[in-house]
Amino acid sequence: MPEVKQSILSSLNKRLDLVKPGAIRAFDNEISSIPDILKLTLGEPDFNVPDHIKQAAIDSINNDDSHYAASNGKIELRQAAADFLKDRYDLDYDAQEEIIATVGATEAIYTVLTSILNEGDKVLLPTPIFPLYIPITLIDGAEPVFMDTSANGFVLSPEMLKAAIAEHGDKIKAIVLNFPSNPTGVTYTAEEVQALADVLRDTNIIVISDEIYSELTYDAKHASMAKYLPEQTILLNGVSKSHAMTGYRIGFLAAPAPLVARLGLIHQFTITTATNSAMVAATEALSTAAGKQDTLDMKAEYQKRRDYVYDQMTQLGFTVPKPNGAFYIFAKIPAELSQDDVAFARDLAYKNKLALIPGSAFGPGGEGYVRISYAASMTTLQEAMKRLGEYIKESAQA
């Protein structure tokens, strides 16, 4: 392996020095070598992709669908996404001019932030939050502004939003809303979404509304920010969570046409276009009755798992806001145990071979918590709760 000159390394983009490796992946990598480790770390659905969706991808390959698609994605997929948004959330988007098919919601996040941010801009982030937004904001020369929601049940209130706007003023370019939330599983009611929209309406703040878990809500229908503030909202979604298609890497963004025209530039120069067979599979997932039923079946199973893990962890002494979406439990470590969430998670992994993600990986307000992904079989979750119970018992006796 040739040695790279230090002078070359030091000449790279200086903003890379602001970015650290993702804490979630770093912790997962650290504990993966532990023999017999049981991991509830990553947001990875354990379901297989439904057969009719796989067949659509296979047919695409067999039909030699192997040439460049339109940069913004196959029109069939964009139309399926528009119809999906209309059917599920009563949103109106033009498939031709207001939707871009992206390489997962991850590329959508990168495309949007890179397109809208200038040096010195600020991005409001209600925390705890999925941490990917932070390094992209930094690389783009902007500043993340954290709003700790832990004292308010992990919900951003209009008062908190008003205070942040008063403090940071015109430097605020955007706010990221991720709901149902990763890591907490908490989501917003229609009334709460509308209240935030009312605060933002008289500003120039762009709302990046990451609603990738919108199909996995358990106690109420999902309410999209795009319903209440469409002129300022860039909506992100996709099929990774709703149809267990994480490896297919298909997401989409929806926004008013003038915004999409600008977003399409970064999108085009970053990835050219998404993979044809994956787009065909996503079209099948979003546009068919079978695809809709697939999600309902998965959601019913997730809800059973949520109820089980919530009940078990509550009995073990964890304080848990009952999640009403996604597939995560965000649990406060019992007071008698170490409140250093990284130390707690590492100790649990090495002693009892159970891996959870430290809450501090998700920003201010996550300290002293752990995130559990219940996107695992009930058998796996039962074994996980057994190991967690044994760890707590052993810790109390120590």
Side-chain angles (χ1 to χ4, degrees), residues 196-233:
L196 295 176
D198 289 342
V199 174
L200 293 162
R201 186 168 287 107
D202 293 330
T203 73
N204 291 321
I205 297 172
I206 296 170
V207 183
I208 304 169
S209 195
D210 184 349
E211 302 177 25
I212 189 69
Y213 294 97
S214 64
E215 287 291 270
L216 301 179
T217 56
Y218 306 117
D219 304 312
K221 183 177 175 64
H222 176 76
S224 175
M225 175 57 76
K227 184 68 177 175
Y228 301 99
L229 196 65
E231 67 275 14
Q232 287 172 237
T233 297

Side-chain angles (χ1 to χ4, degrees), residues 108-359:
I109 294 168
Y110 174 84
T111 290
V112 171
L113 287 171
T114 302
S115 298
I116 69 173
L117 292 178
N118 294 305
E119 184 87 24
D121 284 344
K122 296 187 177 186
V123 179
L124 300 180
L125 298 174
T127 60
I129 197 169
F130 181 55
L132 179 65
Y133 316 107
I134 300 169
I136 298 175
T137 296
L138 293 170
I139 289 173
D140 286 331
E143 177 187 346
V145 175
F146 302 120
M147 299 179 290
D148 183 351
T149 65
S150 58
N152 195 46
F154 300 111
V155 171
L156 177 67
S157 69
E159 292 72 26
M160 294 171 66
L161 178 56
K162 289 176 184 176
I165 293 172
E167 180 179 355
H168 298 281
D170 292 340
K171 288 187 176 294
I172 302 171
K173 175 61 66 68
I175 181 172
V176 175
L177 297 176
N178 167 228
F179 65 102
S181 163
N182 175 8
T184 67
V186 171
T187 195
Y188 291 81
T189 66
E191 292 75 19
E192 289 168 335
V193 175
Q194 185 165 13
L196 295 176
D198 289 342
V199 174
L200 293 162
R201 186 168 287 107
D202 293 330
T203 73
N204 291 321
I205 297 172
I206 296 170
V207 183
I208 304 169
S209 195
D210 184 349
E211 302 177 25
I212 189 69
Y213 294 97
S214 64
E215 287 291 270
L216 301 179
T217 56
Y218 306 117
D219 304 312
K221 183 177 175 64
H222 176 76
S224 175
M225 175 57 76
K227 184 68 177 175
Y228 301 99
L229 196 65
E231 67 275 14
Q232 287 172 237
T233 297
I234 302 173
L235 174 64
L236 313 184
N237 214 312
V239 295
S240 290
K241 312 302 183 180
S242 60
H243 292 83
M245 295 173 65
T246 52
Y248 284 63
R249 309 308 305 132
I250 297 295
F252 59 87
L253 63 83
L259 281 173
V260 166
R262 303 297 287 171
L263 299 173
L265 297 174
I266 292 295
H267 164 78
Q268 179 184 93
F269 296 135
T270 302
I271 60 99
T272 305
T273 187
T275 303
N276 287 4
S277 56
M279 286 195 283
V280 171
T283 302
E284 172 74 14
L286 293 173
S287 66
T288 62
K292 187 174 186 177
Q293 188 60 47
D294 294 332
T295 301
L296 293 174
D297 292 343
M298 293 180 196
K299 182 168 75 168
E301 182 60 30
Y302 283 135
Q303 187 163 359
K304 293 177 186 175
R305 299 172 183 181
R306 177 202 67 171
D307 293 343
Y308 171 75
V309 176
Y310 174 82
D311 290 343
Q312 290 294 307
M313 295 198 72
T314 300
Q315 291 173 26
L316 289 172
F318 290 83
T319 301
V320 184
K322 190 167 187 178
N324 41 25
F327 39 64
Y328 305 107
I329 291 280
F330 202 62
K332 184 73 173 70
I333 300 169
E336 63 272 17
L337 301 176
S338 170
Q339 294 302 294
D340 181 332
D341 51 281
V342 176
F344 172 89
R346 185 173 284 121
D347 197 48
L348 174 63
Y350 282 94
K351 287 182 178 177
N352 289 70
K353 302 182 185 301
L354 175 62
L356 315 176
I357 294 293

